[in-house]
Amino acid sequence: MQFRRDPEPTADTPLRPGRRRDPAVDEAVKGVVLELLAERGWDGVSMDAVAARARVGKASIYRRWSSRVQMVAETIGELNSGEVTVPDTGSLRGDLVEVVGAMVATLRGPLGDASRAVIGVLAHEPDLATAFREGSLGVWRDAFVAVLGAAVARGEVDPARLGTAASEAGPAVVMQRWLLLGRPLDDELTRSVVDDVMLPLLTPR
Amino acid sequence: MQFRRDPEPTADTPLRPGRRRDPAVDEAVKGVVLELLAERGWDGVSMDAVAARARVGKASIYRRWSSRVQMVAETIGELNSGEVTVPDTGSLRGDLVEVVGAMVATLRGPLGDASRAVIGVLAHEPDLATAFREGSLGVWRDAFVAVLGAAVARGEVDPARLGTAASEAGPAVVMQRWLLLGRPLDDELTRSVVDDVMLPLLTPR
C-alpha cells in the first residue's frame, strides 16, 4: 500500500476541488514557456523545466495540455496580440512607420527571441505552425492589411499591388534581418524599410 | 581485466594506422547530418544518431569534431556551394531569374529543409551562426553581388540602391515564404520577386 501524499503546494492548489483551470496558472506557465524559449531555445522547453520554474505541478500542466507542443502552440498563438494597435495617423507613411516600428521593437526583445526558437520546428509540427501563422504572425498581417486598406481608400496605394510579392517585401526585409542576417533591428531599419522598399513598391509611380 | 575488442567495422577502419581523416568518412557524416536535420530537425541530430546511420564509430566522429555543434557548423558552412554558378545572360532580368530561381529550387528541396532546422539555434550558437552566414547564405549573397555589379557596369542598376534595404528585399521575400508563411516556392514566386520587387526597386525610375 502507498501512503497518500498531500498535493504539492502549487499555484493552482486552491482550486483543486473543482479542477477548474486557474487563469493565474495558465499565465504563469505561458510566461515561463516564453522565458525558456528565449533563453535556451526549443530544446530548453521540457515539461519538467516548465513545471519547476513556474512552481506548478506537472499534473496541472498535463491537465491543460497533452504535450509540450500543444503548450507551446497555445503560448505562441497568443503572442504579440498586445504589441500593436492599428494606427491612424492620416498618411500611409505615418501608419507604416508605426507598424513597422512596433514590429522591429517587438522582434528585438524577448518575444522575438522566443519566436525565433520555434521557426526550425514549424515544418515538423503542423499545430505549432498553424498557431504561429494565425496567431503571432497574424497580428502583424492584420495590422498591415488595415493600414494598406485605408491607404487604398485614400488613393495612396495602388490596389493592384496588394497580394503580390510587392506587398510582402517590407516586412520580409525585417524578418530576414531578424532571422538570418544578425544585423541590427533599429530605427534606421524601420525608416529604410518604409522609404526605400514599401512606399516605392506600393504607391503609384 | 577487459578483453580488447577488435575495432568495429566502420567506414574509416582501413585508415586506422595513421589516423588520417578519410574524406569518405567526412562526406558520409555530413550527408547524414543533412538527412537528419531535414527529417527530424535540430533535436534529431545527436552524435549517436549520426554514428549509427553513417555506420561510423563515434570515436571517428569525435576525432573530427569536438561537439555536434562543430559537426553541424562545418556541414552547414559548406552548404549550397554547388548550387549556384554566377549567370551571365547579358541582362539584369535574365541573371536575376537564374539566381532567384536557383535559390527557390534549393530552398524547397532537402537542403532547404536542413537549413531551416538550424535557424532557431543560431542565436544560441555563435559558431553555427558564423558558418551559416558566411557559408550557406554567403553563396547566394556573392551571386547577387556579382549579378548586380555587372548590371551597374551596364548602367541598368542605380548604384545608390545597393547596400540599402532595397537590395535585400527580393531575397527577403523568398526567405519569408520559406521560413514563415508556408506558401509555395514555385516559378511564379521567382517571376514575381524579380518583376514586382527587384527590378522596380533597383532600376532607375
Side-chain angles (χ1 to χ4, degrees), chain A residues 120-131:
Chain A
V121 190
L122 299 180
H124 301 275
E125 299 290 354
D127 290 349
L128 191 59
T130 300

Side-chain angles (χ1 to χ4, degrees), chain B:
Chain B
M1 126 171 221
Q2 290 192 312
F3 290 100
R4 184 177 169 280
R5 288 197 308 158
D6 284 336
E8 289 168 24
T10 64
D12 63 346
T13 302
L15 274 187
R16 272 295 167 92
R19 293 209 165 186
R20 274 191 302 126
R21 278 175 65 154
D22 176 354
V25 174
D26 284 32
E27 289 313 301
V29 168
K30 290 175 189 170
V32 165
V33 167
L34 291 178
E35 284 176 16
L36 289 173
L37 281 173
E39 290 170 21
R40 302 187 199 169
W42 178 252
D43 280 359
V45 183
S46 65
M47 291 300 217
D48 284 323
V50 171
R53 189 181 290 197
R55 302 175 64 86
V56 168
K58 269 173 73 175
S60 298
I61 297 182
Y62 276 108
R63 269 207 305 281
R64 291 167 166 80
W65 300 285
S66 59
S67 69
R68 72 170 184 149
V69 169
Q70 294 303 322
M71 177 179 68
V72 175
E74 188 176 321
T75 304
I76 288 286
E78 295 173 2
L79 214 62
N80 300 334
S81 58
E83 301 303 311
V84 59
T85 49
V86 177
D88 184 14
T89 65
S91 79
L92 175 60
R93 185 176 188 282
D95 285 356
L96 289 177
V97 167
E98 292 288 317
V99 179
V100 174
M103 190 167 76
V104 165
T106 300
L107 292 177
R108 83 173 157 237
L111 293 185
D113 292 339
S115 303
R116 189 158 41 199
V118 306
I119 302 299
V121 190
L122 300 180
H124 301 274
E125 299 291 353
D127 290 349
L128 191 59
T130 300
F132 182 75
R133 290 181 187 130
E134 299 305 312
S136 51
L137 278 187
V139 169
W140 303 111
R141 184 191 55 222
D142 293 348
F144 282 113
V145 165
V147 161
L148 294 177
V152 167
R154 285 192 302 260
E156 284 188 274
V157 161
D158 177 357
R161 312 273 171 88
L162 303 184
T164 71
S167 66
E168 298 172 26
V173 169
V174 176
M175 294 296 182
Q176 179 170 256
R177 290 234 188 160
W178 169 58
L179 286 174
L180 298 178
L181 302 183
R183 292 175 56 188
L185 299 176
D186 53 19
D187 290 346
E188 168 56 19
L189 174 62
T190 299
R191 192 209 59 72
S192 184
V193 162
V194 172
D195 290 335
D196 301 333
V197 178
M198 300 190 80
L199 293 177
L201 287 178
L202 296 170
T203 56
R205 291 196 180 201

Side-chain angles (χ1 to χ4, degrees), chain A residues 53-192:
Chain A
R53 189 181 290 196
R55 302 173 63 87
V56 168
K58 270 174 73 176
S60 298
I61 297 182
Y62 276 109
R63 268 208 305 281
R64 288 166 169 79
W65 301 283
S66 60
S67 68
R68 72 168 184 150
V69 168
Q70 295 303 322
M71 177 180 67
V72 175
E74 188 176 322
T75 305
I76 288 285
E78 295 173 2
L79 213 64
N80 300 332
S81 56
E83 300 304 311
V84 60
T85 49
V86 177
D88 184 14
T89 65
S91 79
L92 175 61
R93 185 176 188 282
D95 286 356
L96 289 177
V97 167
E98 292 288 319
V99 180
V100 174
M103 189 167 77
V104 164
T106 300
L107 292 178
R108 81 174 158 237
L111 294 186
D113 293 340
S115 303
R116 190 158 40 198
V118 306
I119 302 296
V121 190
L122 299 180
H124 301 275
E125 299 290 354
D127 290 349
L128 191 59
T130 300
F132 182 75
R133 289 181 188 132
E134 298 305 312
S136 51
L137 279 187
V139 170
W140 303 111
R141 184 193 53 221
D142 294 347
F144 281 114
V145 165
V147 161
L148 294 176
V152 167
R154 286 192 303 261
E156 284 189 273
V157 161
D158 177 357
R161 312 271 170 89
L162 302 184
T164 71
S167 66
E168 298 172 27
V173 168
V174 176
M175 295 296 182
Q176 180 170 256
R177 290 234 189 159
W178 169 56
L179 286 174
L180 298 178
L181 302 182
R183 293 174 57 187
L185 299 176
D186 54 19
D187 291 346
E188 167 56 19
L189 174 63
T190 298
R191 191 211 57 73
S192 183

Side-chain angles (χ1 to χ4, degrees), chain A residues 34-59:
Chain A
L34 291 179
E35 283 176 18
L36 288 173
L37 280 174
E39 289 171 20
R40 303 187 198 168
W42 178 252
D43 281 358
V45 183
S46 65
M47 292 301 217
D48 284 324
V50 171
R53 189 181 290 196
R55 302 173 63 87
V56 168
K58 270 174 73 176

